[in-house]
Amino acid sequence: MGTSEAVTVRAPAKVNLELRVGGPRPDGYHELATVFHAVSLTDDVTATPADAITVTVEGVHADRVPLDGTNLAVRAARLLAERSGIDDGVALHIRKGIPVAGGMAGGSADAAAALVACDALWHTGLSREELRVLAAELGSDVPFALLGGTAIGTGRGEQLTPALARGDYTWVVGLSDRGLSTPAVYAEIDRLRAGRVLPEPRVSERLMQALRSGDPTALGASLANDLQPAACSLLPDLLRSLAVGQEYGALGGVVSGSGPTVAFLVKDTEQSLDVAVALTASGVCSDVRRVHGPVPGARIVEHGPGR
Ligand code: ATP
């Protein structure tokens, strides 16, 4: 305790194992049914007492992260302060391990981490449920970054039910430097599906069964994303990247969320190396990472004197 206290919270990136997208709703959002899976690409957010709420960022493409009030970690700290009647400031420092604008919800991870860090720093003592409510106000993917593991998301993705899932999975994640804007991908899917009657989105029994039995081969065959045709239509390189993963024996490959990240499920570490080397050599990915999942949601990794 005291003014030199600092709290560091780690929060994970997500991959959507399945993403089903309904038609556009009157409020502009799309009804979703998705299976989130937290993977071992993480951001660390350190909160230190300060007079005002500020943020600094380090890591790959840190320069692409806003440092003003639009930063999701700043928005999270402000929201918690406002709802808890706190006047204190906080200096937030983000160490980014999650690619920026990669469809892996890095900003959402920072928001979740900032909520948990400030709650500990300011001793506001919110329950997990109270934090979840604030998280849902900040963005559709923020509640999952708090929860972690593997979970079904409905509504805009913010209504979560933990999934019955077994096993630890090895992934190769192919990143792209070419940006894909989330609204543009949704507009493209609406264009591609114009005039079609869309069923209510639901996750498949096949994928849930694969998770229950912890069967990576069945899971690989069940990966699915309704946004994939739209993302590939806007960025055809994604099709090449998916083909490389398939050629090198990945159990399955899928565009994560609205892209441009592509996630490949592989059998083991050896195969992850094969797929990673092939993707790197193909030149279609700007960066390739080997990760595993599921991992926990936002959690304190260090609580002690500040620097
Ligand atoms: P989405 O949640 O839409 O899938 P994403 O995972 O593709 O997003 P993010 O890394 O979350 O991408 O960043 C999307 C945009 O949000 C960035 O381009 C950036 O301008 C803005 N942003 C705001 N706060 C942050 C933050 N703390 N970290 C990263 N980006 C942030």
Side-chain angles (χ1 to χ4, degrees), residues 14 64-66 70-73 94 96 99-108 110 141 182 258-259:
K14 59 87 184 169
R64 296 185 188 172
V65 178
T70 64
N71 187 294
L72 275 161
I94 303 173
K96 289 217 73 84
V100 178
M104 301 192 82
S108 302
D110 298 344
D141 291 341
T182 302
S258 57

Side-chain angles (χ1 to χ4, degrees), residues 121-211:
L121 188 76
W122 294 335
H123 305 287
T124 37
L126 265 61
S127 65
R128 276 271 150 174
E129 175 53 21
E130 287 167 321
L131 288 172
R132 192 197 63 75
V133 170
L134 295 187
E137 279 187 49
L138 290 162
S140 310
D141 291 341
V142 185
F144 178 70
L146 268 184
L147 182 68
T150 305
I152 300 167
T154 52
R156 288 181 286 118
E158 84 289 9
Q159 293 159 23
L160 296 176
T161 317
L164 267 179
R166 229 188 237 140
D168 189 46
Y169 299 97
T170 306
W171 297 90
V172 177
V173 170
L175 311 175
S176 168
D177 243 350
R178 311 267 300 278
L180 260 187
S181 121
T182 302
V185 173
Y186 275 94
E188 180 68 359
I189 195 69
D190 288 343
R191 191 185 70 80
L192 292 174
R193 303 194 303 191
R196 273 176 47 193
V197 179
L198 300 170
E200 193 187 323
R202 359 173 119 252
V203 298
S204 71
E205 183 47 38
R206 185 164 93 124
L207 184 127
M208 297 316 294
Q209 174 58 36
L211 283 172

Side-chain angles (χ1 to χ4, degrees), residues 259-276:
T261 299
V262 180
F264 297 95
L265 181 63
V266 293
K267 217 167 42 210
D268 49 26
T269 307
E270 194 182 323
Q271 193 178 54
S272 76
L273 280 167
D274 288 348
V275 172

